[in-house]
Amino acid sequence: MISPMEKLRKTEVYKSIFRHKYEDTPRNRALQIVDNVFLHLHPVRVPRHATNIGYTWGMGGITFLLFLVLTLTGVILMFYYRPTAQYAYEDMKYLMHDVPFGPLIRNMHRWGAHAMVITVMLHMFRVFLTGSYKPPRQFNWVVGVVLLLLTFLLSFSGYLLPWDQLSIWAVTVGTNMARATPLLGHEGPFGPQLGMRPDADVRFVLLGGTQVGPPTLLRFYVGHCIFLPLIATIFMVVHFWRIRKDGGISGPDTGKKNF
Amino acid sequence: MNHLLELVTKPDNIPIVGLLLLVIFYSWLAWTKARKNDSQQLPDEARLDDKVQVWPYLVRVEFLAMLVVLLILVVWSVFINAPLEEPANPALTPNPSKAPWYFLGLQELLVYFDPWIAGVVLPSIIIVGLMIIPYVDINEKGNGYYTFKERKFSILTFCFGFLILWVSLIVLGTFMRGPGWNFFLPWQDWDTHKVVVLNNVDLSEYFGMPSHFPDNSLNIAASAFGFLVIAAFYLSLGGWHYMKYKNSDVVKKLGLGRYALVLGLFLTMMFVVLKILLRLAPPIFGGYPVKYIWVTPWFNV
Amino acid sequence: MADDITSSSQTVPPQRPQALSQESQISATPIPKKPKQDRAPENDPGIWRMGRKSFLSFAGWLSFLGFIGISTVGALRFMFPRVLFEPPSKFKAGLPGDYVIGEVNEKYTEEQRIWIVREREGFYALIAICTHLGCTPRWLTAENKFKCPCHGSGYYKDGVNFEGPTPRPLERAQITVNDDGEIVIDKSIKFRYELGEWGKAGSFLKYVG
Ligand code: HEM
Ligand code: FES
């Protein structure tokens, strides 16, 4: 008597999806990783200390998880949000009061963003403390710094979107600093001498106007939803690729090869 | 006290409380591990270098971590609503008005430096400074395990920058900056009408040279004096260090260029601290806070 | 090794090695062996075939880089539209007689971000934008000063800064009277103290009444 499960496993459809058996053998454990498009981000084997959460604190992975959560909740929010000064705030209210699960999605997006900034900072802290930026991982640290910056920019550009008092003043102060950029801002050292004007300097590129207004909202929206996530994704791809190419997770040099 | 409770439980402040606790916890964790490793022949990580299979040993940890993080996030989001304040109004600035919390360290620096320094130059230096760390830290030890003994200078410098200048300034900006950007202790109520005299003077005025004449034209002597003070700061400390250590192995291996870069960045970090002290310390001794060290027609430092 | 590589760049068919020539006895037309391809032949510029010296290659690269450069400039220019839809900078502010001497009038602060100050000799219009980082300061009558909530900059009633981080005084806007005797304020024309502009015509409206 063969069980229905056995029968199912013998069908062509099943075999076309699952490529190997699942008895717990070392070979199948390896196949789990290499045969899976997502898991094969990982090597098949790692040094034992890498599975110890006390070593990596898991912060890089958690940052990535939060990025995925933010992408998902962000896309859902886009179903209701219109990036114009007339509607943005109203849409926020609408989401918070009249859309089922609207508050949950918005809250997850907001708190997830805060959490991601925290975890990315802690990740950097850990990488520093274990000296993991030392050869051969120098360049991946540089990629990491870019990711840190992108995380800040993503969070900052999202801050404007609710179009409430908190948003516009935080962004007013933030972008007014650009006004004072040396050479490129109309109030920065040597800016005016180089012909910078309120309507022609770096700050204008950010704001799309001479003050925080409707064009700013649109620019920040496009940056927040398309441009910055795209760039961040590209850098993350490089970051993960480099982890593998630099010999997997760092560890003390014990003479053994890590890969 | 109620005020403190209110501050700590304000939805937008919860992440900062979390950050503070996490930073304290992880600093402690890293410190314990470093001490342990420093006291033994081989670091713990080197003892655990046999291979294990990623499936299941790593994947299951990751899966658990994912569940925990998602659980925290969902519970947090179910119980605490993200704030939505009054609609945007360009004519009415809330008091106090703050940047997003992760920029509060920079906003605090805005009190002591002109926007072009605090908002543009210093952040750029931080980013570039972080990026070059792997290329100027030529100490081969301490790669891939926790240690303190083997890399004291780099760890102390980084922790000073991260824990003191970044994290504590964020905490200070969140909990101790109230209306009018005045300083309040965390348990003091925020009094909108608190009057603090902030009459600042330029450093040269301490030496009898106002930066501007009564007709508002620049005092060249005062400007030159300011330049000299800054030049003296960098040259004397830098020169002293160079004289003392020029024959050390580290300086030789770094080479003059990289050595000067590290020294310059380090001194700049110290300069930031110095400027903050020049603003905060004098009132304690009954003097005027210092506004600028160096005044020029184009920019002030 | 090196020999059969060099041969490839020549037009003469390469010499066949021993093993092949035996085989070739079977087939009617011998198949010339392909040259080895793991290395560029000597004297062959390889990927630099369109070498630096070749004018066409140079021109090609130049136009490619030129295209990238111009596209970048174009993209940048794209961010600066020719027309801006911002609120008009000019507005009327009633009759001079409506103002009280010594008062900082906040009637237009909400809408226009302007304070109109009436002194004994006349009027000036202060722009309610902190010169530090652009917050809107508040006028504190009791303390007789403007105070910015963002980082604590303070200004005297005439707009000159005296405390906090701001690097310079508030800006004044042009203030004039029109033919109907009404005050007209133009925010696009600004007067800055530190540039010595507060003495200029338009920065102060003489009025004794
Ligand atoms: C969006 C932001 C980031 C993501 C998603 C991310 C993700 C990761 C992940 C998953 C790892 C594997 C080990 C671990 O979890 O600790 C890792 C390692 C690493 N990260 Fe990041 N990271 C980010 C930002 C950064 C930053 C800001 C830095 C440093 C400035 C950095 C530098 C490194 C380095 C050098 C490694 C190799 C560490 C080792 O082998 O021990 N990353 N990153
Ligand atoms: S914006 Fe007014 S003090 Fe900073």
Side-chain angles (χ1 to χ4, degrees):
Chain A
M1 211 8 229
I2 44 171
S3 69
M5 196 61 204
E6 275 310 286
K7 252 189 207 155
L8 180 69
R9 289 213 181 96
K10 292 233 165 65
T11 61
E12 187 180 343
V13 174
Y14 182 92
K15 285 197 262 179
S16 74
I17 302 173
F18 301 100
R19 292 294 98 124
H20 60 89
K21 296 224 176 71
Y22 289 89
E23 283 98 334
D24 193 16
T25 63
R27 182 167 181 276
N28 281 344
R29 287 179 172 187
L31 287 175
Q32 281 285 48
I33 302 296
V34 276
D35 275 3
N36 184 305
V37 65
F38 304 108
L39 288 179
H40 97 289
L41 199 60
H42 283 309
V44 171
R45 299 184 314 144
V46 289
R48 187 182 296 278
H49 75 261
T51 62
N52 173 359
I53 198 160
Y55 179 69
T56 64
W57 309 349
M59 282 302 164
I62 294 176
T63 309
F64 182 52
L65 170 68
L66 288 170
F67 180 77
L68 295 180
V69 170
L70 288 168
T71 311
L72 189 71
T73 50
V75 169
I76 298 175
L77 288 175
M78 286 169 80
F79 281 110
Y80 285 103
Y81 177 83
R82 287 165 291 178
T84 62
Q86 189 186 355
Y87 293 126
Y89 183 78
E90 293 310 316
D91 290 348
M92 278 322 204
K93 281 254 180 262
Y94 189 56
L95 265 165
M96 289 308 270
H97 299 297
D98 303 318
V99 178
F101 294 106
L104 180 69
I105 298 293
R106 175 169 179 245
N107 294 347
M108 280 178 73
H109 197 72
R110 167 74 80 105
W111 302 136
H114 283 326
M116 181 174 168
V117 175
I118 295 178
T119 55
V120 76
M121 284 172 3
L122 289 173
H123 173 54
M124 180 183 73
F125 192 40
R126 169 321 260 180
V127 171
F128 186 87
L129 290 177
T130 55
S132 301
Y133 56 84
K134 300 192 176 196
R137 297 184 180 77
Q138 304 101 313
F139 183 67
N140 216 14
W141 168 272
V142 177
V143 174
V145 177
V146 175
L147 282 171
L148 176 78
L149 186 67
L150 286 169
T151 309
F152 284 143
L153 290 180
L154 271 166
S155 189
F156 183 66
S157 57
Y159 215 77
L160 181 67
L161 303 186
W163 205 241
D164 64 352
Q165 278 289 69
L166 208 62
S167 328
I168 65 155
W169 288 104
V171 171
T172 301
V173 169
T175 52
N176 263 329
M177 292 186 215
R179 196 165 66 164
T181 312
L183 309 180
L184 295 180
H186 71 272
E187 279 182 13
F190 307 111
Q193 286 86 342
L194 285 174
M196 295 296 153
R197 285 180 286 124
D199 60 352
D201 71 346
V202 276
R203 179 166 162 273
F204 190 95
V205 177
L206 293 174
L207 297 190
T210 55
Q211 62 221 15
V212 175
T216 319
L217 185 56
L218 189 55
R219 284 192 184 196
F220 273 51
Y221 174 75
V222 174
H224 183 76
C225 301
I226 311 282
F227 187 68
L228 290 169
L230 204 67
I231 306 276
T233 306
I234 295 174
F235 274 88
M236 273 184 230
V237 169
V238 178
H239 196 61
F240 299 157
W241 172 254
R242 284 302 294 235
I243 297 174
R244 292 290 301 278
K245 291 292 136 181
D246 292 342
I249 197 78
S250 60
D253 183 8
T254 49
K256 288 189 213 164
K257 275 250 159 114
N258 242 355
F259 48 101
Chain B
M1 263 308 143
N2 283 340
H3 175 71
L4 178 61
L5 206 66
E6 206 177 287
L7 270 184
V8 170
T9 53
K10 197 172 156 232
D12 253 349
N13 288 351
I14 290 175
I16 298 116
V17 179
L19 169 76
L20 187 62
L21 297 178
L22 284 171
V23 164
I24 292 175
F25 169 73
Y26 279 114
S27 305
W28 168 82
L29 181 71
W31 176 245
T32 347
K33 282 175 168 282
R35 285 320 293 253
K36 179 141 183 274
N37 281 346
D38 285 346
S39 69
Q40 43 194 23
Q41 201 87 50
L42 266 183
D44 277 347
E45 288 85 354
R47 295 159 201 255
L48 299 175
D49 76 328
D50 56 323
K51 293 292 184 102
V52 293
Q53 287 202 296
V54 165
W55 181 284
Y57 298 106
L58 181 59
V59 176
R60 71 176 179 200
V61 180
E62 288 178 339
F63 185 66
L64 273 178
M66 181 179 96
L67 292 185
V68 172
V69 172
L70 288 181
L71 189 74
I72 294 175
L73 187 62
V74 170
V75 171
W76 184 2
S77 302
V78 165
F79 287 105
I80 297 175
N81 270 344
L84 187 62
E85 304 201 341
E86 300 290 298
N89 177 358
L92 186 75
T93 311
N95 188 8
S97 183
K98 296 187 178 185
W101 61 266
Y102 38 86
F103 287 148
L104 283 182
L106 294 174
Q107 192 174 4
E108 182 66 24
L109 290 183
L110 278 172
V111 176
Y112 312 99
F113 292 94
D114 274 6
W116 68 276
I117 303 186
V120 184
V121 175
L122 288 179
S124 310
I125 292 186
I126 294 175
I127 294 293
V128 175
L130 281 174
M131 283 186 181
I132 64 163
I133 285 179
Y135 303 99
V136 297
D137 179 3
I138 53 172
N139 178 359
E140 288 146 21
K141 284 190 244 147
N143 183 347
Y145 53 95
Y146 290 95
T147 174
F148 174 66
K149 198 171 64 178
E150 294 174 6
R151 15 189 320 239
K152 281 192 185 142
F153 173 74
S154 62
I155 287 190
L156 283 178
T157 313
F158 189 86
C159 287
F160 182 76
F162 181 65
L163 298 178
I164 311 275
L165 290 185
W166 188 258
V167 176
S168 351
L169 285 190
I170 288 176
V171 173
L172 185 135
T174 310
F175 299 118
M176 299 181 222
R177 286 297 187 178
W181 207 247
N182 282 323
F183 182 83
F184 294 86
L185 288 169
W187 48 89
Q188 286 175 333
D189 282 339
W190 284 4
D191 170 12
T192 343
H193 297 289
K194 176 170 173 177
V195 183
V196 180
V197 187
L198 298 169
N199 288 324
N200 303 328
V201 301
D202 297 334
L203 185 66
S204 55
E205 215 156 314
Y206 266 89
F207 299 88
M209 286 182 286
S211 336
H212 294 276
F213 293 118
D215 68 347
N216 200 29
S217 61
L218 185 82
N219 180 349
I220 308 283
S223 180
F225 168 80
F227 173 75
L228 287 180
V229 171
I230 292 179
F233 171 81
Y234 277 91
L235 290 181
S236 64
L237 288 179
W240 165 79
H241 190 270
Y242 180 65
M243 282 329 215
K244 190 151 172 221
Y245 293 102
K246 68 177 169 210
N247 289 324
S248 74
D249 287 343
V250 180
V251 175
K252 272 194 195 142
K253 234 168 96 192
L254 268 176
L256 205 59
R258 278 194 291 178
Y259 169 70
L261 194 63
V262 177
L263 197 65
L265 286 173
F266 185 80
L267 287 179
T268 303
M269 185 155 99
M270 292 302 132
F271 184 76
V272 171
V273 178
L274 179 77
K275 178 89 197 272
I276 294 177
L277 289 179
L278 280 177
R279 179 70 59 83
L280 297 183
I284 301 173
F285 307 106
Y288 286 112
V290 171
K291 184 166 172 88
Y292 294 125
I293 297 180
W294 181 25
V295 175
T296 79
W298 311 281
F299 60 85
N300 307 315
V301 180
Chain C
M1 273 298 257
D3 287 357
D4 54 38
I5 291 168
T6 34
S7 56
S8 71
S9 60
Q10 292 151 13
T11 40
V12 207
Q15 264 187 328
R16 261 171 288 127
Q18 205 60 29
L20 247 182
S21 57
Q22 269 173 1
E23 245 172 63
S24 66
Q25 285 168 350
I26 316 167
S27 68
T29 43
I31 307 157
K33 188 186 174 261
K34 279 197 191 151
K36 281 211 169 141
Q37 303 204 328
D38 59 343
R39 204 188 309 170
E42 269 171 46
N43 303 327
D44 183 329
I47 59 160
W48 294 109
R49 192 183 300 284
M50 316 177 299
R52 291 152 247 224
K53 285 173 205 135
S54 147
F55 172 75
L56 273 181
S57 143
F58 180 74
W61 281 109
L62 198 69
S63 19
F64 176 66
L65 292 179
F67 173 71
I68 300 279
I70 291 172
S71 309
T72 313
V73 173
L76 205 67
R77 186 64 187 81
F78 179 79
M79 300 317 263
F80 294 89
R82 272 183 225 105
V83 178
L84 283 182
F85 297 97
E86 296 196 330
S89 64
K90 255 187 183 177
F91 69 97
K92 289 186 203 152
L95 296 166
D98 301 345
Y99 291 83
V100 183
I101 293 184
E103 187 198 51
V104 172
N105 187 295
E106 296 201 271
K107 192 167 161 203
Y108 298 96
T109 323
E110 177 93 1
E111 233 161 75
Q112 304 284 353
R113 296 187 81 179
I114 287 282
W115 291 294
I116 300 171
V117 187
R118 167 80 160 99
E119 293 291 11
R120 197 167 296 280
E121 306 83 35
F123 290 89
Y124 51 87
L126 289 171
I127 300 177
I129 299 179
C130 183
T131 46
H132 182 229
L133 284 173
C135 292
T136 308
R138 284 138 201 261
W139 168 244
L140 306 178
T141 321
E143 285 142 41
N144 206 27
K145 69 177 182 186
F146 299 98
K147 180 79 177 168
C148 181
C150 286
H151 319 94
S153 290
Y155 307 86
Y156 294 123
K157 192 174 167 192
D158 60 359
V160 174
N161 58 313
F162 67 95
E163 63 172 1
T166 187
R168 57 193 178 86
L170 291 172
E171 291 173 354
R172 290 186 181 180
Q174 189 193 50
I175 181 164
T176 47
V177 270
N178 66 9
D179 296 340
D180 301 336
E182 283 172 309
I183 294 182
V184 179
I185 290 175
D186 187 347
K187 290 184 287 181
S188 66
I189 303 177
K190 294 172 184 169
F191 299 94
R192 288 170 58 171
Y193 171 79
E194 71 285 4
L195 302 180
E197 291 175 343
W198 281 9
K200 284 193 180 167
S203 65
F204 190 83
L205 177 64
K206 284 222 169 65
Y207 181 84
V208 193

